[in-house]
Amino acid sequence: MPDDLALDVLGRGVGAHVDAAHVLAHNAQYDQDHAAEQQQQRRGGRPPDGGRRAGKVVDDDIDKVVKEDIEAGVKKLIVSACTKNTFEEALALAKKYDSIYVTLGFHPSEVDTTGADLELLEELLKTDKVVGVGEIGLDYHYDNVDKNLQKKVFQKQIELAKKYNKTIVIHSRDAAQDTLDILKKSSIT
């Protein structure tokens, strides 16, 4: 692995330079924490965070992670909020830290999105530190998904991204062809 890893985050000039050793240290710690959680669950107990872990960073870690990343040379961070309930939290982080930017969108698992939810998303896309719409897309992994509703919400979010000249962050699982078809139809590719 190279000594450092340069990332062009979202391809919009919001760049980040990440020390690979720093990334590996975060990932190694996550792997250790995850293994401990699994062991705890096998014993019938709840993981230390009560089962609320969301990705590799938990709420209590955010100040520490941002500080460490800045010290490691990271210039910009992007926080993705994928549910209506997390939009304000992500925007509060962006307000608190100059280095944090945000993507907002409804994950495919949030297809119960209403017209009012999409209106809220549209309003929030006008915020300065919102750099993209996402994570949006299609997820057909589970049998009980409403594929047509997922497609409809995905298309509406693409329209909003185009309207406000925002990058999109795509989630696609077991739905590659439909995802590509929608992107082509939307003139994204």
Side-chain angles (χ1 to χ4, degrees):
M1 177 167 274
D3 291 336
D4 61 15
L5 180 65
L7 302 174
D8 182 14
V9 181
L10 295 181
R12 292 183 80 28
V14 177
H17 186 77
V18 181
D19 180 328
H22 190 73
V23 171
L24 291 175
H26 273 296
N27 290 346
Q29 183 62 51
Y30 172 76
D31 292 341
Q32 287 175 351
D33 293 346
H34 186 65
E37 289 172 6
Q38 287 180 326
Q39 187 176 37
Q40 182 76 17
Q41 286 174 332
R42 280 193 293 273
R43 288 189 214 135
R46 295 183 72 180
D49 68 355
R52 295 179 302 276
R53 188 175 204 85
K56 294 190 177 186
V57 179
V58 293
D59 294 340
D60 296 340
D61 295 335
I62 193 67
D63 291 321
K64 179 182 175 192
V65 170
V66 171
K67 182 178 183 272
E68 288 175 355
D69 287 347
I70 290 170
E71 288 171 358
V74 174
K75 303 294 182 211
K76 306 290 179 196
L77 299 166
I78 293 180
V79 173
S80 291
C82 303
T83 68
K84 179 174 69 171
N85 295 336
T86 59
F87 289 174
E88 289 303 322
E89 183 180 357
L91 290 168
L93 286 171
K95 188 174 182 177
K96 181 176 180 180
Y97 298 101
D98 290 339
S99 61
I100 291 183
Y101 292 81
V102 175
T103 64
L104 304 174
F106 293 101
H107 188 276
S109 64
E110 299 296 315
V111 295
D112 58 348
T113 303
T114 67
D117 294 337
L118 290 168
E119 288 173 12
L120 171 66
L121 175 61
E122 181 171 8
E123 202 54 41
L124 294 175
L125 290 177
K126 299 172 188 175
T127 307
D128 285 340
K129 293 186 81 178
V130 176
V131 296
V133 179
E135 176 176 327
I136 63 174
L138 305 173
D139 191 330
Y140 297 166
H141 184 70
Y142 301 103
D143 291 334
N144 61 345
V145 299
D146 185 335
K147 293 179 182 180
N148 289 327
L149 186 55
Q150 282 191 15
K151 290 176 190 178
K152 181 180 173 185
V153 173
F154 184 32
Q155 290 168 329
K156 288 184 180 286
Q157 290 180 100
I158 290 171
E159 291 170 15
L160 289 174
K162 288 173 69 173
K163 180 176 180 178
Y164 293 98
N165 194 31
K166 303 290 184 184
T167 298
I168 60 174
V169 179
I170 298 173
H171 173 100
S172 180
R173 182 164 60 159
D174 299 337
Q177 191 59 57
D178 283 350
T179 301
L180 289 173
D181 290 346
I182 288 171
L183 291 172
K184 287 177 184 174
K185 182 180 174 185
S186 301
S187 303
I188 298 293
T189 58

